[in-house]
Amino acid sequence: ISILVDVSPSTNNNKRIQSATTTLANIIETKIKNGDMLSLDCFASDHDIVMPLTKINSNNRQVFMDAVYALNFKCTKGITHFYKALLELGHNIAKANKKKPALVFALTDGEDNEYKTTQKEVKNFYKNNNIQLLIITIGVGSGTKLKILELVEKPEFVIAAASDDQS
C-alpha cells in the first residue's frame, strides 16, 4: 500500500491538510495491520518519498503516524502536480513490484496544475501495471470531482475526507 499526499499550499485552505492527515491517521490506526507493507509519499511541484516501503509493526507504526502529522507543516511552496506525482509513484511501484497487485491511496484537493501528464496516461499505466488507485478528496468542488472520477476504475474508488460534503 502506497500513500500519496498533496502538500501544495492550496491544501492549507480551510485546513484541508489537517483533514487529510486526520483521515490518513484514522486509516493507518484502524485499517493497516502489523505485517502490511506501507509507504508514504507527498507532492506539490515535486514528488518526495517521506517513508519508503516498510513492513508495519508495533515498533514503527508511531514513526509512520509522526510522519503523517508532520505533513501538516509541509504545505508552504509549490503547485499541485497531481498526475505527474501519481505517474512517478506508479513507476516506482511497478519497478519494485513486477506487476504484483498494489494499492495507492492518494489524498488531494485535486487541482492539477502541471498540464503535461494526462489523466488517461496515469489511468492506463496503473491498469497495465496492476495498481489500484483510490482517491480521497480534500475539500473539492463538483468540477474537480468529475476530473478525479476519470482517474479511477470505479466511482466508489473516490471518497470524501472529513472536510468534503458528506452527502
Side-chain angles (χ1 to χ4, degrees):
I1 301 170
S2 296
I3 299 167
L4 181 65
V5 181
D6 185 344
V7 293
S8 63
S10 65
T11 59
N12 262 335
N13 294 342
N14 299 318
K15 300 183 181 182
R16 290 175 177 175
I17 190 63
Q18 290 174 338
S19 175
T21 57
T22 299
T23 299
L24 184 52
N26 183 307
I27 290 169
I28 292 172
E29 287 175 2
T30 63
K31 303 295 182 193
I32 304 298
K33 298 175 182 69
N34 285 346
D36 287 345
M37 298 294 290
L38 186 65
S39 70
L40 177 64
D41 293 37
C42 66
F43 73 96
S45 296
D46 297 315
H47 166 220
D48 296 314
I49 297 170
V50 178
M51 297 291 293
L53 191 62
T54 304
K55 186 181 276 191
I56 296 298
N57 60 47
S58 54
N59 295 326
N60 64 17
R61 183 177 294 273
Q62 189 58 50
V63 175
F64 265 88
M65 296 298 285
D66 292 345
V68 166
Y69 287 118
L71 296 175
N72 285 321
F73 306 101
K74 279 193 70 101
C75 307
T76 58
K77 63 182 179 175
I79 58 176
T80 306
H81 288 182
F82 184 39
Y83 307 146
K84 180 181 169 206
L86 281 170
L87 194 56
E88 288 173 355
L89 178 58
H91 280 282
N92 292 345
I93 292 168
K95 193 182 324 176
N97 277 5
K98 311 273 190 279
K99 298 225 182 204
K100 287 189 268 178
L103 174 64
V104 170
F105 283 107
L107 290 87
T108 185
D109 63 6
E111 299 294 338
D112 184 77
N113 302 114
E114 190 241 344
Y115 308 116
K116 290 180 185 173
T117 310
T118 67
Q119 294 165 315
K120 186 175 182 179
E121 185 179 3
V122 172
K123 187 172 184 173
N124 288 340
F125 186 87
Y126 274 53
K127 186 174 186 171
N128 293 335
N129 287 278
N130 205 14
I131 303 169
Q132 188 66 61
L133 177 60
L134 183 116
I135 300 174
I136 300 171
T137 60
I138 310 166
V140 302
S142 57
T144 300
K145 187 151 187 180
L146 289 174
K147 289 180 183 177
I148 287 174
L149 284 167
E150 293 176 23
L151 279 168
V152 296
E153 291 296 315
K154 299 177 185 173
E156 58 267 25
F157 292 166
V158 176
I159 58 176
S163 64
D164 282 5
D165 177 2
Q166 295 298 306
S167 64

